[in-house]
Amino acid sequence: MFNQYRGCYLDISHFVYVHTTGDSTMVSPFAILFFGGDLVVDHSKGTIAADGWLKMSAPGRIAVLVNQLRKGVDLALIKKIDNPAVDIQQDACIQALVTMLRTEGDL
């Protein structure tokens, strides 16, 4: 699917639209920040880039918080992969991620 990539943009509703051949998919910026590849924070420009190409405006402190929360989520998921019996539902980082995805950041 991604080899048919044509472009993406962030619209006024703050959703990212990924366009492929004959298709368009709305994706939450939070989903991209947490699951969209490596993050690069540029404090001087006030941006955070996912996977080296998808840049979003974000004050430095927000970008750092997202990056740290993502590291916590990654650690919880690694624990779950290593031991499927481990319950990560009560993990603070997982709970914060679920809340952000459910509310689109409107807390």
Side-chain angles (χ1 to χ4, degrees):
M1 178 175 116
F2 290 107
N3 14 349
Q4 298 176 355
Y5 165 78
R6 296 287 183 246
C8 80
Y9 66 92
L10 181 65
D11 80 349
I12 194 167
S13 66
H14 304 292
F15 283 95
V16 175
Y17 289 84
V18 178
H19 290 277
T20 59
T21 305
D23 193 14
S24 177
T25 304
M26 183 175 65
V27 181
S28 163
F30 290 111
I32 290 172
L33 289 173
F34 285 99
F35 303 110
D38 293 332
L39 298 180
V40 177
V41 177
D42 187 336
H43 294 282
S44 64
K45 294 181 182 176
T47 62
I48 186 167
D51 207 25
W53 64 273
L54 181 57
K55 293 182 183 176
M56 296 177 231
S57 296
R61 63 185 174 80
I62 299 299
V64 169
L65 287 171
V66 166
N67 213 6
Q68 292 301 312
L69 183 57
R70 183 173 173 174
K71 287 177 183 178
V73 168
D74 287 348
L75 287 174
L77 292 174
I78 288 169
K79 288 178 189 176
K80 183 68 171 179
I81 290 168
D82 288 344
N83 182 1
V86 170
D87 180 14
I88 62 171
Q89 290 182 352
Q90 301 308 314
D91 182 275
C93 291
I94 296 294
Q95 288 181 340
L97 173 63
V98 168
T99 299
M100 288 177 71
L101 291 173
R102 281 186 181 155
T103 64
E104 294 297 331
D106 294 331
L107 302 175

